[in-house]
Amino acid sequence: MSGIVMAVSSNGEYSFTKPNRDSITLLAGLGVENDVHAGVTVKHRSRVAQDPTQPNLRQVHLIHEELFAEVSAQGFTVMPGDLGENITTRDIDLLGLPVGTLLHIGDHAVLEVTGLRNPCLQIDNFQDGLLKQVVGRDEAGSIVRKAGIMSIVKEGGAVRPGDTIKAVLPSGPHRPLERV
């Protein structure tokens, strides 16, 4: 399974959106260099309030560009970086990957998938009604989260638009993604 990087984004300050960059540098065990969410322990405000010593399983946020087309059909305009992601992808089923999948990006970087992003009310503050487009329920009534996946940096390196992404699935039984 493979895909491509469409955009990279980072922000050194807390804000919902992240500006696009020409490249970002991933730092092993930390996240995106100079990004507010980089660190060994949790950096998301709600997680810090619960327990600031928790490991940071949300170092790098990836989202699939195909979601933007899906929400566009419902009248929303979303561009890379708008939902706070660090890496916008195309042609890879991020939501279908199991926990522990390794994503080899570009020449050196490797991410390990930890789980699903849990969409929050800030999405509706960005565009009213958008939250219902990125989180809903399937036919069985189970919650479906579509706002991307979270990961940790196993091997650092530069990531740029146009870089290839190669997914390497973990051995053994696959665990489906859950919110982290």
Side-chain angles (χ1 to χ4, degrees):
M1 185 182 305
S2 63
I4 190 165
V5 174
M6 298 307 297
V8 293
S9 310
S10 67
N11 199 339
E13 299 177 12
Y14 279 104
S15 70
F16 183 68
T17 62
K18 293 187 180 193
N20 296 154
R21 308 287 182 194
D22 292 332
S23 70
I24 57 173
T25 300
L26 302 181
L27 303 173
L30 295 174
V32 178
E33 183 177 47
N34 298 320
D35 190 82
V36 71
H37 294 114
V40 174
T41 57
V42 293
K43 300 301 174 198
H44 288 77
R45 291 178 176 170
S46 63
R47 304 291 168 111
V48 170
Q50 292 173 359
D51 178 2
T53 66
Q54 295 177 74
N56 188 1
L57 301 177
R58 301 165 56 104
Q59 293 174 356
V60 181
H61 175 201
L62 297 92
I63 202 165
H64 50 295
E65 184 183 62
E66 292 85 353
L67 177 65
F68 304 160
E70 184 180 324
V71 300
S72 175
Q74 301 301 318
F76 296 93
T77 302
V78 180
M79 303 299 291
D82 281 353
L83 298 181
E85 75 277 7
N86 300 110
I87 300 174
T88 307
T89 68
R90 179 188 290 165
D91 295 333
I92 187 166
D93 181 12
L94 297 177
L95 303 178
L97 298 172
V99 172
T101 298
L102 297 179
L103 299 174
H104 295 259
I105 305 176
D107 294 332
H108 303 287
V110 180
L111 299 176
E112 181 179 336
V113 176
T114 57
L116 294 168
R117 176 191 184 184
N118 190 33
C120 64
L121 287 176
Q122 286 184 320
I123 292 174
D124 267 351
N125 293 338
F126 174 68
Q127 288 184 42
D128 190 42
L130 183 58
L131 181 61
K132 286 185 179 180
Q133 301 302 313
V134 299
V135 65
R137 296 197 180 270
D138 63 16
E139 298 80 30
S142 299
I143 294 176
V144 176
R145 293 173 177 86
K146 298 187 271 186
I149 63 171
M150 306 307 287
S151 63
I152 58 173
V153 181
K154 298 301 278 184
E155 294 182 32
V159 176
R160 296 173 183 80
D163 281 350
T164 58
I165 305 166
K166 180 183 174 198
V168 177
L169 301 178
S171 59
H174 293 173
R175 292 185 2 230
L177 297 177
E178 296 179 4
R179 69 182 178 96
V180 292

